[in-house]
Amino acid sequence: MEQQKQFKYYVKAIYRLMMILFIMVGIITIGGIYLLIDPTLSVLKKNESNSTYLTTAEGNEDKIENGIHLRTGLVEAKGLMEVINNCTNCHSSKLIIQNRMTTERWVTTIRWMQKTQNLWDLGTNEEIIINYLVTNYPPKKKGRREILTNIEWYDLQD
């Protein structure tokens, strides 16, 4: 009788051990599959980005993160959509960002584009666009060219 009790005890202990091992293998398997799907474990990271969306006249949404319009790289401020709608139809926003000018120079540049590049009459948007550009991309003094960034360097082959 005593042997039978000990046998049942060992069977239960082995059963419990097998269940614990089965559960552990299941958890490890599920974790491994999740790591294959999302290796950065983004679910566990706190989302601290300051994101908003602008809705354009066409109904498209443009993401703004930390005060920067992601698609164009332009600063979020009054007049942003006017600049996007009137300027980026013909050229890259990078051209806008690198050309830091005064009000007078922007007016001259707009007149030149209207005269030679078929830029349409901006109407009331012209003042909004110029104010946006002068406020967010004013001229800055610099003695030398800026440091090169975002460059993919490669080794020369012999």
Side-chain angles (χ1 to χ4, degrees):
M1 190 73 165
E2 185 64 32
Q3 279 184 332
Q4 197 174 12
K5 281 186 178 181
Q6 278 185 340
F7 180 74
K8 283 184 179 181
Y9 174 77
Y10 288 129
V11 168
K12 284 183 180 179
I14 291 172
Y15 176 76
R16 286 185 188 128
L17 183 62
M18 295 291 283
M19 288 304 293
I20 291 170
L21 287 173
F22 180 75
I23 290 169
M24 288 176 61
V25 167
I27 290 171
I28 291 170
T29 302
I30 290 170
I33 291 170
Y34 183 78
L35 275 174
L36 288 173
I37 294 169
D38 183 14
T40 63
L41 298 174
S42 62
V43 139
L44 302 175
K45 292 181 182 175
K46 188 175 181 182
N47 188 3
E48 296 179 2
S49 70
N50 185 9
S51 298
T52 56
Y53 290 89
L54 280 180
T55 303
T56 62
E58 298 82 28
N60 299 331
E61 287 187 341
D62 285 325
K63 189 172 185 181
I64 302 225
E65 197 166 284
N66 299 321
I68 301 294
H69 184 254
L70 294 183
R71 183 171 53 87
T72 61
L74 295 170
V75 174
E76 177 190 21
K78 183 178 184 238
L80 171 63
M81 289 315 297
E82 286 81 359
V83 170
I84 291 171
N85 292 333
N86 288 283
C87 302
T88 61
N89 286 325
C90 298
H91 55 75
S92 167
S93 58
K94 290 180 181 181
L95 189 62
I96 298 165
I97 294 168
Q98 76 182 13
N99 285 302
R100 297 171 164 267
M101 296 187 244
T102 62
T103 302
E104 297 77 30
R105 290 212 37 223
W106 277 117
V107 170
T108 303
T109 302
I110 289 170
R111 296 293 171 265
W112 174 81
M113 287 187 282
Q114 288 172 332
K115 191 176 197 180
T116 63
Q117 307 299 311
N118 295 324
L119 175 63
W120 51 88
D121 180 20
L122 298 173
T124 57
N125 284 334
E126 183 173 316
E127 185 178 349
I128 296 168
I129 291 169
I130 291 173
N131 287 338
Y132 172 86
L133 295 171
V134 171
T135 302
N136 297 292
Y137 301 101
K140 60 181 178 180
K141 280 188 165 182
K142 53 184 176 181
R144 298 179 53 117
R145 71 164 171 78
E146 293 181 13
I147 296 172
L148 300 174
T149 58
N150 298 329
I151 295 184
E152 293 183 31
W153 297 101
Y154 59 91
D155 292 327
L156 294 174
Q157 301 296 324
D158 289 331

